Amino acid sequence: SVNIYPNPTSGNVTIELNETATNVAIYNMVGKLVRSQSISAGLNTVEMNGLTAGVYFLRIYNDNKIIGTAKVVRQ
């Protein structure tokens, strides 16, 4: 399972994973990739500073397979 907090956020978010993952991709509301970062099982910090306020979609991948998705509000 995937746990993402804090949400909404004004900066970083923490992604807590119980399974193996390789990266997280952050997409804006129109589906444009705005950031990608390598991650692994356990706790991961994802930098969202520099992104404008709004709603973003996070897709968590293990290789090329999506293993989780979440909506995050950036204040």
Side-chain angles (χ1 to χ4, degrees):
S1 71
V2 178
N3 190 17
I4 299 175
Y5 56 89
N7 190 10
T9 185
S10 57
N12 296 340
V13 292
T14 299
I15 299 176
E16 187 176 351
L17 295 166
N18 293 331
E19 58 187 296
T20 302
T22 54
N23 70 303
V24 60
I26 303 173
Y27 297 88
N28 64 15
M29 285 294 291
V30 295
K32 180 182 176 189
L33 177 67
V34 294
R35 186 164 293 163
S36 182
Q37 176 180 321
S38 295
I39 60 173
S40 59
L43 294 176
N44 299 273
T45 300
V46 176
E47 178 69 46
M48 292 192 70
N49 288 332
L51 298 178
T52 58
V55 177
Y56 293 88
F57 296 96
L58 277 63
R59 288 188 186 153
I60 300 164
Y61 294 90
N62 184 9
D63 294 321
N64 293 325
K65 179 184 171 197
I66 298 173
I67 60 170
T69 59
K71 179 172 72 173
V72 175
V73 176
R74 168 78 167 96
Q75 295 179 323

